[in-house]
Structure formats: structure tokens, C-alpha cells
Amino acid sequence: MILSNRNKYYITETICLLFILLFIYASASKLMDFQHFRIQLGQSPLLSAFAEQISVIVPLSEIIICVLLLIPRYKAAGLFVAYGLMVMFTAYIFIILNYTSFVPCSCGGVLEKLGWQSHLLFNLFFVFLAVLGIILYKDSGTQKFHAVKNKKLTALFSAITISSISIVVVMFIFSENIIHYHNRLTRRFPQTPIEKVNGKDLKLNSFYIAGADSFHVFLGNSTAPLLITTLNTHLAITGKKMIELNRKDLPFRGIRLSVRPPYFFAADGSVPCVFRGRIENWKAELAYKGGEYFTTTQALDSVSIAVVTNNSRTGDNVLGIINVGEKKKTILNPFILQKQFDGVFDTDGHLLYSRGLDKIVYLYYYRNQFTIADRGLRITGRGTTIDTISRAKLNIAKDKKHKQRKFSSPPLYVNKNSAVYKNLLFVNSAIPGRFEEDRIWQEASIIDVYNLNDKSYQLSFCIYNLEGKKMKSFIVDNDNLYVLIGTQIILYKIGTKITSKYTK
């Protein structure tokens, strides 16, 4: 069937009208809920790093195309630009479905109800309409565009197609590099990286997680320092035991339990002393007494404990390792914790140990930095979290009467809680990121995941509040995530989006 020029003209005008309706509606929906649109782009696994710019460029481009299509002399240019934009949208969805680590929620506006596969077909249909419109517009005999030769038209199509796809691919590559290695607080929340499995009400809020293995989680209790409670992976209590110490005549002020199966430690840095025993009978003998006072402990193995102690001359925090075996000794390295202005408060942080890497990890409370060291306290790496606060924001005053230094105002936490398993560092951040809704921070705690091998950011997920209470602490053991919230302990299963990143 041969179409007359008049029919070609009407079909072309219809195609232009469809594009105008599509882009006017799409741009209007984006602009009317601009903040939500920008948040959605911030969660894209392709465009996170460029969300701020693209959130403006895309609706502006759609409006410009509509203007071009409405002006007869620029109609051909409008169709070509529409074609290029639809090719970019199509390439974007194809990469989302086939080459990204997760598939985000579908975009809003006119396509909000479409799945990604349907969205892809929708875009391909409009790519076809743009091609058809350009060909019919050329053959309709209107304007100078009719004089363009077919070879030149084919070359123009090829150039626009290659350029459009290349732009999306290049943005994807650069965005991935920026997000993982040069991130400035843009988080990615893939769908369902964790799943709640079980929960148990412990009736008290004084419990803390002392350790875990493949079969149990061990809870200490701050109001009953020698009570150890054992739960299985179904969160059923399998044992409660009062730890027996062979010395009870010491001036204990704050015993803290740390379980590293098959051993456990009971330590009090104000004495200072360390007791060691086996979990088979929960009896402990004094293994270390005297020497450096310490504030924080982390069991490494059956004979070694990492501690944060103080420099006897300056009072600055220092990272050390206490060996409580036959050859008792203490190793200190004053260069691991980096002083900024105070040396005590500004170097406070989380002391962690990765058994899989056999590395000590120290994550600061009040700044976006962490340090990795081996058992000899040799620094093997330093890294930063995606939070932008590199210098602790603290107000410290001297109490001359009591000869103490105290916070004169509440400190700004950057890293509230943390855990480590193998090569992954899990950080409960206190700093909201770009393109994030306030509602999420009111309803949940945010966990950011980092790969310690290359110091890269991986992804984030939420642990939602329970009865209005936020998470207190958590621990990770393989695919088990144990969380204390209020009086309850919750077990989450960690999905393959995270466990696939573990070093074998």
C-alpha cells in the first residue's frame, strides 16, 4: 500500500502529538514531585553519581523536544532528538536489567505502574514511532528535509544511536567508579538485601551481644556482668549461666564479656584485668593483671585481645594487643589512631576484628575514617566511609574542679554502630545522605556496607524501628544478622546481594 503525502503528513503529525503528550506528561510529573524524582535517580544503579544534574536535564530536554515538535521548521530536529532520548532511555533499562548489581523500583509518572520489562517494550515502541515519523516526514515532501539522501539519513540514525547508547554506558561506568570509590554520601538501597526471620522479647534492655558463631549467639548483661545467655539460631534460649571467676577480690567496676568460641574473656580495664575460660563450663581464670588500663576490648583468639589504652605521658588513646598466653606481653602502636586535636575524644571509636581477614579494624565514632592493621599492629590500610565529615565536630571543656575533660555539647556521631565479617564492614551511619527522605531516618537505622579489600562502598539497607525504638547494636555471622532493638533480639537473613561479596 502506497501512502499519499497527505496521509504521511497526518501520520507524522499524530506521532508528533503522541510524543508531545508523552513528554509533557512525563516532564510535568517529574517537576511536580521533583524531590521524589531526584531521590529515585539517586537510587539508580546507573546514575546515582549524576542524579542532581540529570534530574534537571531530563525534564528540560522533554520540554525542549515538545517545543521543537510544535514549530514546523524544527519538527525534523524534534523527531531526531526524541529518537535519541528514547534510545537513551531504552539503553538505560537494558543495562539495568542485565548488567547492574540490583534492579531498583520503577520510575514514577506515566510509567509508574509498569514493570521494567513492560517499560522496555514501551520505550522500544516509541523508538519505532520516532523512526517511522522521521521517514514519513522525509517522504511527505515538506520542507528541505525531503532532499536528504537515504545514505545520509542512515548515517544520521547510526550516529545518534551510537552516541545515545555511548552516553548511557559512559555515565554507567563513571557513576559506578564514583559511587564505589569517590562517593560523597550517595547511598544505594537495593531491594530486600535482608529478610526478617524471627524475633524474641528478652524482657530487659540491658543485654548486649558478646559474640556469635554458626550455631549460637551469646548475650552479656550490663546489670548482671557475669551472666551469659546463650540462644540458638532460632532465638530460643538454650542456656543461662553465671560465669565463675577464680578471683573475686578485685575492685571490679565494669566487667565486659567477649565470646570467641570455644573461648570467652571477661575483662575490666579499670582494674585492669582479663579472665579467660572455655564456653563448655563458663569458668574463667585470671590471665592478665596490671599493666595498661584500657577502655575497649576485642578478642582475637584464645590468647590475644586487642584493646584501646592510653599513652602514659600524653593520655592519648593508643591501640594495643595484650597476649594472655604463656608469654604475656603487650604491643602498642601509637600511630594507628590519628589525633586531630584532643587525642582522646576525637579518636574514640569501634574496635573490630575480622577472623576471615585476620585483621583488626578501627572505625572512628566522629569522623568518616577507619584503619586496618594486622596482629603485629602494622597498618595495612586506611579507608573512608561515604560520610563527608573528615574532622570530628566536638566541643570539649575542661572541668577544673574535678580535673576532667567533658563534652560541652552533644557530639556529632558519624558512625554509631558497626560489625565486620570476613572482608565486609557494616556501619550504622548517623549522617543522612543526598536524595534520601527524612521519613526513612525517622523510621529506620541505616547500615552501609564496605569492602575492606579495596576500601569501596557497596550498598546500604535499612533496619526498621520496633515499637518506636531504634537499633542499639548488631552483629553479623555469615548470613545471620542479629540485632538488638529495645528489649528484643531480631534475626535477619542476609541475602546474596551481600553474601556474594564475601571473600572466599
Coordinates of all heavy atoms in Angstrom, one line a residue, residues 380-461:
T380 N 47.9 -1.9 57.6 CA 47.8 -2.4 56.3 C 46.9 -1.6 55.3 O 46.8 -1.9 54.1 CB 47.3 -3.9 56.3 OG1 46.0 -3.9 56.9 CG2 48.2 -4.7 57.2
G381 N 46.2 -0.7 55.9 CA 45.3 0.2 55.0 C 44.5 1.2 55.8 O 44.2 1.0 57.0
R382 N 44.1 2.2 55.2 CA 43.2 3.2 55.8 C 42.1 3.5 54.7 O 42.4 3.4 53.5 CB 43.9 4.5 56.1 CG 45.0 4.4 57.2 CD 45.4 5.8 57.7 NE 46.6 5.8 58.6 CZ 46.5 5.6 59.9 NH1 45.3 5.4 60.5 NH2 47.6 5.6 60.6
G383 N 40.9 3.7 55.2 CA 39.8 4.0 54.3 C 38.9 5.0 54.8 O 39.0 5.4 56.0
T384 N 37.9 5.4 54.0 CA 36.9 6.4 54.5 C 35.5 5.8 54.1 O 35.3 5.1 53.2 CB 37.1 7.8 53.8 OG1 37.0 7.6 52.4 CG2 38.4 8.4 54.1
T385 N 34.6 6.2 54.9 CA 33.2 5.9 54.6 C 32.6 7.0 53.7 O 33.3 8.0 53.4 CB 32.3 5.9 55.9 OG1 32.3 7.2 56.5 CG2 32.9 4.9 56.9
I386 N 31.4 6.8 53.2 CA 30.9 7.8 52.3 C 30.4 9.1 53.0 O 30.2 10.1 52.3 CB 29.7 7.2 51.4 CG1 28.6 6.8 52.4 CG2 30.2 6.1 50.6 CD1 27.4 6.3 51.6
D387 N 30.4 9.1 54.3 CA 30.0 10.3 55.0 C 31.1 11.4 54.8 O 32.3 11.0 54.6 CB 29.9 10.0 56.5 CG 28.8 9.0 56.8 OD1 27.7 9.3 56.6 OD2 29.2 7.8 57.1
T388 N 30.8 12.6 54.8 CA 31.7 13.7 54.4 C 32.4 14.3 55.5 O 33.2 15.2 55.3 CB 30.9 14.8 53.6 OG1 29.8 15.2 54.4 CG2 30.3 14.2 52.3
I389 N 32.2 13.9 56.7 CA 32.8 14.6 57.9 C 34.1 13.9 58.2 O 34.2 12.8 58.8 CB 31.9 14.5 59.1 CG1 30.6 15.2 58.8 CG2 32.5 15.1 60.3 CD1 29.5 15.1 59.9
S390 N 35.2 14.6 57.7 CA 36.5 14.0 57.9 C 37.2 14.6 59.2 O 38.3 14.0 59.6 CB 37.4 14.4 56.7 OG 37.5 15.8 56.5
R391 N 36.7 15.6 59.8 CA 37.2 16.1 61.0 C 36.1 16.1 62.1 O 35.0 16.6 61.9 CB 37.7 17.5 60.8 CG 38.5 18.1 62.0 CD 39.3 19.3 61.7 NE 40.0 19.8 62.8 CZ 41.2 19.4 63.2 NH1 41.8 18.4 62.5 NH2 41.8 19.9 64.2
A392 N 36.4 15.5 63.2 CA 35.5 15.4 64.3 C 34.9 16.8 64.7 O 35.7 17.7 64.9 CB 36.1 14.7 65.5
K393 N 33.6 16.9 64.9 CA 33.0 18.1 65.3 C 32.6 18.0 66.8 O 31.5 17.5 67.1 CB 31.7 18.4 64.5 CG 32.0 18.6 63.0 CD 30.8 18.9 62.2 CE 31.1 19.0 60.7 NZ 32.0 20.1 60.4
L394 N 33.5 18.3 67.7 CA 33.4 18.2 69.1 C 33.6 19.5 69.8 O 34.5 20.2 69.4 CB 34.4 17.1 69.6 CG 34.4 15.7 68.9 CD1 35.5 14.9 69.5 CD2 33.0 15.1 69.2
N395 N 32.9 19.7 70.9 CA 33.1 20.8 71.8 C 33.5 20.2 73.1 O 32.6 19.6 73.8 CB 31.9 21.7 71.9 CG 31.5 22.4 70.6 OD1 32.4 22.9 69.9 ND2 30.3 22.4 70.2
I396 N 34.7 20.4 73.5 CA 35.2 19.8 74.8 C 35.6 20.9 75.7 O 36.3 21.9 75.4 CB 36.4 18.9 74.5 CG1 36.0 17.8 73.5 CG2 37.0 18.3 75.7 CD1 37.2 17.0 72.9
A397 N 35.2 20.8 77.0 CA 35.5 21.8 78.0 C 36.3 21.1 79.1 O 36.1 19.9 79.4 CB 34.2 22.5 78.5
K398 N 37.1 21.9 79.8 CA 37.9 21.4 81.0 C 37.1 21.7 82.3 O 36.8 22.9 82.5 CB 39.3 21.9 81.0 CG 40.1 21.5 79.8 CD 41.6 22.0 80.0 CE 42.4 21.5 78.8 NZ 43.8 22.1 79.0
D399 N 36.8 20.7 83.0 CA 36.2 20.8 84.4 C 37.4 20.9 85.4 O 37.9 19.9 85.8 CB 35.3 19.7 84.7 CG 34.5 19.9 86.0 OD1 35.0 20.7 86.8 OD2 33.5 19.2 86.1
K400 N 37.8 22.1 85.7 CA 39.0 22.3 86.6 C 38.7 21.7 88.0 O 39.6 21.2 88.6 CB 39.3 23.8 86.7 CG 39.8 24.3 85.3 CD 40.2 25.8 85.5 CE 40.7 26.4 84.1 NZ 41.1 27.8 84.2
K401 N 37.5 21.9 88.5 CA 37.2 21.4 89.8 C 37.4 19.9 90.0 O 38.0 19.4 90.9 CB 35.7 21.8 90.2 CG 35.3 21.3 91.6 CD 33.9 21.8 91.9 CE 33.5 21.3 93.3 NZ 32.1 21.7 93.6
H402 N 36.9 19.1 89.0 CA 37.1 17.7 89.0 C 38.2 17.2 88.2 O 38.4 16.0 88.0 CB 35.7 17.0 88.6 CG 34.6 17.4 89.4 ND1 33.7 18.4 89.2 CD2 34.1 16.8 90.6 CE1 32.8 18.5 90.1 NE2 33.0 17.5 90.9
K403 N 39.0 18.1 87.5 CA 40.1 17.8 86.7 C 39.7 16.8 85.6 O 40.4 15.7 85.5 CB 41.3 17.2 87.6 CG 41.8 18.2 88.6 CD 42.9 17.6 89.4 CE 43.5 18.7 90.4 NZ 44.6 18.1 91.2
Q404 N 38.7 17.1 84.9 CA 38.2 16.2 83.8 C 37.9 17.1 82.6 O 37.7 18.3 82.6 CB 36.9 15.5 84.2 CG 37.1 14.5 85.3 CD 35.7 13.9 85.7 OE1 34.7 14.5 85.6 NE2 35.8 12.6 86.2
R405 N 37.9 16.4 81.4 CA 37.5 17.0 80.2 C 36.2 16.3 79.8 O 36.1 15.1 79.8 CB 38.5 16.8 79.1 CG 39.8 17.6 79.3 CD 40.8 17.3 78.2 NE 41.3 16.0 78.2 CZ 42.2 15.5 77.3 NH1 42.6 16.2 76.3 NH2 42.6 14.3 77.4
K406 N 35.2 17.2 79.4 CA 33.9 16.7 79.1 C 33.4 17.4 77.9 O 33.8 18.4 77.5 CB 32.9 16.9 80.3 CG 33.3 16.2 81.6 CD 32.2 16.5 82.6 CE 32.6 15.8 83.9 NZ 31.6 16.1 85.0
F407 N 32.4 16.7 77.2 CA 31.7 17.4 76.1 C 30.9 18.6 76.7 O 30.1 18.4 77.6 CB 30.7 16.4 75.4 CG 31.4 15.3 74.6 CD1 31.2 14.0 74.9 CD2 32.3 15.7 73.6 CE1 31.9 13.0 74.2 CE2 33.0 14.7 72.9 CZ 32.8 13.4 73.2
S408 N 31.0 19.7 76.1 CA 30.2 20.9 76.5 C 28.9 20.9 75.7 O 28.0 21.7 76.0 CB 31.0 22.2 76.2 OG 31.4 22.3 74.9
S409 N 28.8 20.1 74.6 CA 27.6 19.9 73.9 C 27.6 18.5 73.3 O 28.7 17.9 73.1 CB 27.4 21.0 72.8 OG 28.5 20.9 71.8
P410 N 26.4 18.0 73.0 CA 26.4 16.6 72.5 C 27.3 16.5 71.2 O 27.2 17.3 70.3 CB 24.9 16.4 72.1 CG 24.2 17.3 73.0 CD 25.1 18.5 73.1
P411 N 28.1 15.4 71.1 CA 28.9 15.2 69.9 C 28.1 14.8 68.7 O 27.0 14.2 68.8 CB 29.9 14.1 70.4 CG 29.1 13.3 71.3 CD 28.2 14.3 72.1
L412 N 28.7 15.1 67.5 CA 28.1 14.7 66.3 C 28.6 13.3 65.9 O 29.8 13.2 65.5 CB 28.3 15.7 65.2 CG 27.8 15.3 63.8 CD1 26.3 15.2 63.8 CD2 28.3 16.3 62.7
Y413 N 27.8 12.3 66.1 CA 28.2 11.0 65.7 C 28.2 10.8 64.2 O 27.3 11.3 63.5 CB 27.3 9.9 66.3 CG 27.7 9.5 67.7 CD1 27.2 10.1 68.8 CD2 28.6 8.4 67.9 CE1 27.5 9.8 70.1 CE2 28.9 8.1 69.2 CZ 28.4 8.7 70.3 OH 28.8 8.3 71.5
V414 N 29.2 10.1 63.6 CA 29.2 9.8 62.2 C 28.9 8.3 62.1 O 28.0 7.9 61.2 CB 30.5 10.1 61.6 CG1 30.6 9.6 60.1 CG2 30.8 11.6 61.6
N415 N 29.5 7.5 62.9 CA 29.4 6.0 62.9 C 28.9 5.6 64.2 O 29.7 5.5 65.2 CB 30.7 5.4 62.5 CG 31.3 5.9 61.2 OD1 30.6 5.9 60.2 ND2 32.5 6.4 61.2
K416 N 27.6 5.2 64.3 CA 27.0 4.9 65.6 C 27.3 3.4 66.1 O 27.6 3.2 67.3 CB 25.5 5.1 65.6 CG 25.1 6.5 65.4 CD 23.7 6.7 65.0 CE 22.7 6.2 66.1 NZ 21.3 6.4 65.7
N417 N 27.2 2.5 65.2 CA 27.5 1.1 65.5 C 28.2 0.4 64.3 O 28.1 1.0 63.2 CB 26.2 0.3 65.8 CG 25.6 0.7 67.1 OD1 26.1 0.4 68.1 ND2 24.4 1.4 67.1
S418 N 28.7 -0.7 64.5 CA 29.4 -1.4 63.4 C 29.6 -2.9 63.7 O 29.5 -3.3 64.8 CB 30.8 -0.7 63.1 OG 31.6 -0.9 64.3
A419 N 29.9 -3.6 62.6 CA 30.2 -5.0 62.7 C 31.1 -5.3 61.5 O 31.1 -4.6 60.5 CB 29.0 -5.9 62.7
V420 N 31.8 -6.5 61.6 CA 32.6 -6.9 60.5 C 32.5 -8.4 60.3 O 32.4 -9.1 61.3 CB 34.1 -6.5 60.7 CG1 34.7 -7.2 61.8 CG2 34.9 -6.7 59.4
Y421 N 32.5 -8.9 59.1 CA 32.5 -10.3 58.8 C 33.3 -10.5 57.5 O 33.0 -9.9 56.5 CB 31.1 -10.9 58.7 CG 31.1 -12.4 58.5 CD1 31.3 -13.2 59.6 CD2 31.0 -13.0 57.2 CE1 31.4 -14.6 59.5 CE2 31.1 -14.4 57.1 CZ 31.3 -15.2 58.2 OH 31.4 -16.5 58.0
K422 N 34.3 -11.3 57.6 CA 35.3 -11.5 56.5 C 35.7 -10.2 56.0 O 36.3 -9.4 56.8 CB 34.6 -12.4 55.4 CG 34.4 -13.9 55.9 CD 34.0 -14.7 54.7 CE 34.0 -16.2 55.2 NZ 33.6 -17.1 54.1
N423 N 35.5 -9.9 54.7 CA 36.0 -8.7 54.1 C 35.0 -7.5 54.1 O 35.3 -6.5 53.6 CB 36.5 -8.9 52.7 CG 35.3 -9.4 51.8 OD1 34.7 -10.4 52.2 ND2 35.0 -8.8 50.7
L424 N 33.9 -7.7 54.7 CA 32.8 -6.7 54.7 C 32.7 -6.0 56.0 O 32.6 -6.6 57.1 CB 31.5 -7.3 54.3 CG 31.4 -7.8 52.8 CD1 29.9 -8.2 52.5 CD2 31.9 -6.9 51.8
L425 N 32.7 -4.6 56.0 CA 32.5 -3.8 57.1 C 31.0 -3.2 57.1 O 30.7 -2.6 56.0 CB 33.5 -2.7 57.1 CG 33.3 -1.6 58.2 CD1 33.5 -2.2 59.6 CD2 34.3 -0.4 57.9
F426 N 30.3 -3.4 58.1 CA 28.9 -2.9 58.2 C 28.9 -1.8 59.2 O 29.2 -1.9 60.4 CB 28.0 -4.0 58.7 CG 27.9 -5.3 57.8 CD1 29.0 -6.2 57.9 CD2 26.9 -5.5 57.0 CE1 28.9 -7.4 57.1 CE2 26.8 -6.6 56.2 CZ 27.9 -7.6 56.2
V427 N 28.4 -0.6 58.7 CA 28.5 0.6 59.5 C 27.1 1.2 59.6 O 26.4 1.5 58.7 CB 29.4 1.7 58.9 CG1 29.4 2.9 59.7 CG2 30.8 1.1 58.7
N428 N 26.6 1.4 60.9 CA 25.4 2.1 61.2 C 25.7 3.6 61.2 O 26.2 4.1 62.2 CB 24.8 1.6 62.5 CG 23.6 2.4 63.0 OD1 23.3 2.5 64.2 ND2 22.9 3.0 62.0
S429 N 25.4 4.2 60.1 CA 25.7 5.6 59.9 C 24.7 6.5 60.6 O 23.5 6.2 60.8 CB 25.7 6.0 58.4 OG 26.0 7.4 58.3
A430 N 25.2 7.7 61.1 CA 24.3 8.7 61.7 C 24.0 9.9 60.8 O 23.3 10.8 61.2 CB 24.9 9.1 63.0
I431 N 24.6 9.9 59.6 CA 24.5 11.0 58.7 C 23.6 10.8 57.5 O 24.0 9.9 56.7 CB 25.9 11.5 58.3 CG1 26.9 11.6 59.5 CG2 25.8 12.8 57.5 CD1 26.4 12.7 60.4
P432 N 22.5 11.5 57.4 CA 21.7 11.3 56.2 C 22.4 11.6 54.9 O 23.2 12.6 54.9 CB 20.5 12.2 56.4 CG 20.5 12.5 57.9 CD 21.9 12.4 58.3
G433 N 22.1 10.9 53.8 CA 22.8 11.1 52.6 C 22.0 12.0 51.6 O 20.8 12.5 52.0
R434 N 22.5 12.3 50.5 CA 21.8 13.0 49.5 C 20.7 12.1 48.9 O 20.8 10.9 48.8 CB 22.7 13.4 48.4 CG 23.9 14.2 48.8 CD 25.0 14.3 47.8 NE 24.6 15.1 46.6 CZ 25.2 15.0 45.4 NH1 26.2 14.1 45.3 NH2 24.8 15.7 44.4
F435 N 19.6 12.8 48.5 CA 18.5 12.1 47.8 C 17.8 11.1 48.7 O 17.4 10.0 48.3 CB 18.9 11.4 46.5 CG 19.9 12.3 45.7 CD1 21.1 11.8 45.4 CD2 19.5 13.5 45.3 CE1 22.0 12.5 44.6 CE2 20.4 14.3 44.5 CZ 21.6 13.8 44.2
E436 N 17.8 11.3 50.0 CA 17.2 10.4 51.0 C 16.0 11.1 51.7 O 16.2 12.3 52.1 CB 18.2 9.9 52.0 CG 19.2 9.0 51.3 CD 20.3 8.6 52.3 OE1 20.2 8.8 53.5 OE2 21.3 8.0 51.8
E437 N 14.9 10.4 51.9 CA 13.8 11.0 52.5 C 14.0 11.0 54.1 O 14.5 10.1 54.7 CB 12.5 10.2 52.2 CG 12.2 10.3 50.7 CD 11.0 9.4 50.4 OE1 11.1 8.2 50.4 OE2 9.9 10.0 50.0
D438 N 13.5 12.1 54.7 CA 13.6 12.2 56.2 C 12.9 11.1 56.8 O 13.2 10.6 57.9 CB 13.0 13.5 56.6 CG 13.9 14.7 56.2 OD1 15.1 14.5 55.9 OD2 13.4 15.8 56.2
R439 N 11.8 10.6 56.2 CA 10.9 9.6 56.8 C 11.8 8.3 57.1 O 11.5 7.6 58.1 CB 9.8 9.2 55.8 CG 8.9 8.1 56.3 CD 7.8 7.8 55.2 NE 8.4 7.5 53.9 CZ 8.9 6.3 53.6 NH1 8.9 5.3 54.5 NH2 9.5 6.1 52.4
I440 N 12.7 7.9 56.2 CA 13.5 6.7 56.3 C 14.3 6.8 57.6 O 14.4 5.9 58.4 CB 14.4 6.5 55.1 CG1 13.5 6.2 53.9 CG2 15.4 5.4 55.4 CD1 14.3 6.0 52.6
W441 N 14.9 8.0 57.8 CA 15.7 8.2 59.0 C 14.9 8.2 60.3 O 15.5 7.9 61.4 CB 16.6 9.4 58.8 CG 17.7 9.2 57.8 CD1 17.6 9.2 56.5 CD2 19.0 8.7 58.1 NE1 18.8 8.9 55.9 CE2 19.7 8.6 56.9 CE3 19.7 8.5 59.3 CZ2 21.0 8.2 56.8 CZ3 21.0 8.1 59.2 CH2 21.6 7.9 58.0
Q442 N 13.7 8.6 60.2 CA 12.8 8.6 61.4 C 12.4 7.2 61.7 O 12.2 6.8 62.9 CB 11.6 9.5 61.2 CG 12.0 11.0 61.0 CD 10.8 11.8 60.5 OE1 9.8 11.3 60.2 NE2 11.1 13.1 60.4
E443 N 12.2 6.3 60.7 CA 11.6 5.0 60.9 C 12.6 3.9 60.9 O 12.3 2.7 61.2 CB 10.6 4.7 59.7 CG 9.5 5.7 59.7 CD 8.5 5.4 58.5 OE1 8.9 4.6 57.7 OE2 7.5 6.1 58.4
A444 N 13.9 4.1 60.6 CA 14.9 3.0 60.5 C 16.3 3.5 60.8 O 16.6 4.7 60.9 CB 14.8 2.5 59.1
S445 N 17.1 2.5 61.0 CA 18.6 2.7 61.1 C 19.2 2.3 59.8 O 18.8 1.3 59.2 CB 19.2 1.9 62.3 OG 18.6 2.3 63.5
I446 N 20.2 3.0 59.3 CA 20.8 2.8 58.0 C 22.1 2.1 58.2 O 23.0 2.6 58.9 CB 21.0 4.1 57.2 CG1 19.6 4.9 57.2 CG2 21.5 3.8 55.8 CD1 18.5 4.1 56.5
I447 N 22.3 1.0 57.5 CA 23.6 0.3 57.5 C 24.2 0.4 56.2 O 23.6 0.0 55.1 CB 23.4 -1.2 57.8 CG1 22.5 -1.4 59.1 CG2 24.7 -2.0 57.9 CD1 23.2 -0.9 60.4
D448 N 25.5 0.9 56.1 CA 26.3 1.0 54.9 C 27.3 -0.2 54.9 O 27.9 -0.5 56.0 CB 27.0 2.3 54.8 CG 26.1 3.5 54.8 OD1 25.0 3.4 54.3 OD2 26.4 4.5 55.4
V449 N 27.5 -0.8 53.8 CA 28.4 -1.9 53.6 C 29.6 -1.6 52.8 O 29.4 -1.0 51.7 CB 27.7 -3.1 53.0 CG1 28.6 -4.4 53.0 CG2 26.4 -3.5 53.8
Y450 N 30.8 -1.9 53.3 CA 32.0 -1.6 52.6 C 32.9 -2.8 52.4 O 32.9 -3.8 53.3 CB 32.9 -0.6 53.4 CG 32.2 0.8 53.6 CD1 31.3 0.9 54.7 CD2 32.3 1.8 52.8 CE1 30.6 2.1 54.9 CE2 31.7 3.0 52.9 CZ 30.8 3.2 54.0 OH 30.2 4.3 54.2
N451 N 33.6 -2.9 51.3 CA 34.6 -4.0 51.1 C 35.9 -3.5 51.6 O 36.5 -2.6 51.0 CB 34.6 -4.3 49.6 CG 35.4 -5.6 49.3 OD1 36.3 -5.9 50.0 ND2 35.0 -6.2 48.2
L452 N 36.5 -4.2 52.6 CA 37.8 -3.8 53.2 C 38.9 -4.1 52.2 O 40.0 -3.5 52.4 CB 38.0 -4.5 54.5 CG 37.0 -4.1 55.6 CD1 37.2 -5.0 56.8 CD2 37.2 -2.7 56.0
N453 N 38.7 -5.0 51.3 CA 39.8 -5.4 50.4 C 40.2 -4.2 49.5 O 41.4 -3.9 49.3 CB 39.5 -6.5 49.5 CG 39.4 -7.8 50.3 OD1 40.1 -8.0 51.3 ND2 38.6 -8.8 49.8
D454 N 39.3 -3.5 49.0 CA 39.6 -2.3 48.1 C 39.0 -1.0 48.7 O 39.0 0.0 48.0 CB 39.1 -2.5 46.7 CG 37.6 -2.8 46.6 OD1 36.9 -2.7 47.6 OD2 37.1 -3.2 45.5
K455 N 38.5 -1.0 49.9 CA 38.0 0.2 50.6 C 36.8 0.8 49.9 O 36.7 2.0 49.9 CB 39.1 1.2 50.8 CG 40.5 0.7 51.1 CD 40.6 0.0 52.4 CE 42.1 -0.4 52.7 NZ 42.7 -1.2 51.7
S456 N 36.0 0.0 49.2 CA 34.9 0.5 48.4 C 33.6 0.4 49.1 O 33.3 -0.6 49.8 CB 34.9 -0.2 47.0 OG 34.6 -1.6 47.2
Y457 N 32.7 1.4 48.8 CA 31.3 1.3 49.3 C 30.6 0.3 48.4 O 30.7 0.3 47.2 CB 30.7 2.7 49.2 CG 29.2 2.7 49.3 CD1 28.6 2.4 50.6 CD2 28.4 3.0 48.2 CE1 27.2 2.4 50.7 CE2 27.0 3.0 48.3 CZ 26.4 2.7 49.5 OH 25.0 2.7 49.6
Q458 N 29.7 -0.5 49.0 CA 28.9 -1.5 48.2 C 27.5 -1.1 48.1 O 26.9 -0.9 47.0 CB 29.1 -2.9 48.9 CG 30.5 -3.4 48.9 CD 31.1 -3.6 47.5 OE1 30.5 -4.2 46.7 NE2 32.3 -2.9 47.3
L459 N 26.8 -1.0 49.2 CA 25.3 -0.8 49.2 C 24.9 -0.4 50.6 O 25.7 -0.4 51.6 CB 24.6 -2.0 48.7 CG 24.8 -3.4 49.4 CD1 23.9 -3.5 50.6 CD2 24.6 -4.5 48.4
S460 N 23.6 -0.1 50.8 CA 23.0 0.2 52.1 C 21.7 -0.5 52.3 O 21.1 -0.9 51.3 CB 22.8 1.7 52.2 OG 24.0 2.4 52.1
F461 N 21.3 -0.7 53.5 CA 20.0 -1.3 53.8 C 19.5 -0.7 55.1 O 20.2 -0.1 55.9 CB 20.0 -2.8 53.8 CG 20.9 -3.4 54.8 CD1 20.5 -3.7 56.1 CD2 22.2 -3.8 54.5 CE1 21.3 -4.3 57.1 CE2 23.1 -4.4 55.4 CZ 22.6 -4.6 56.7

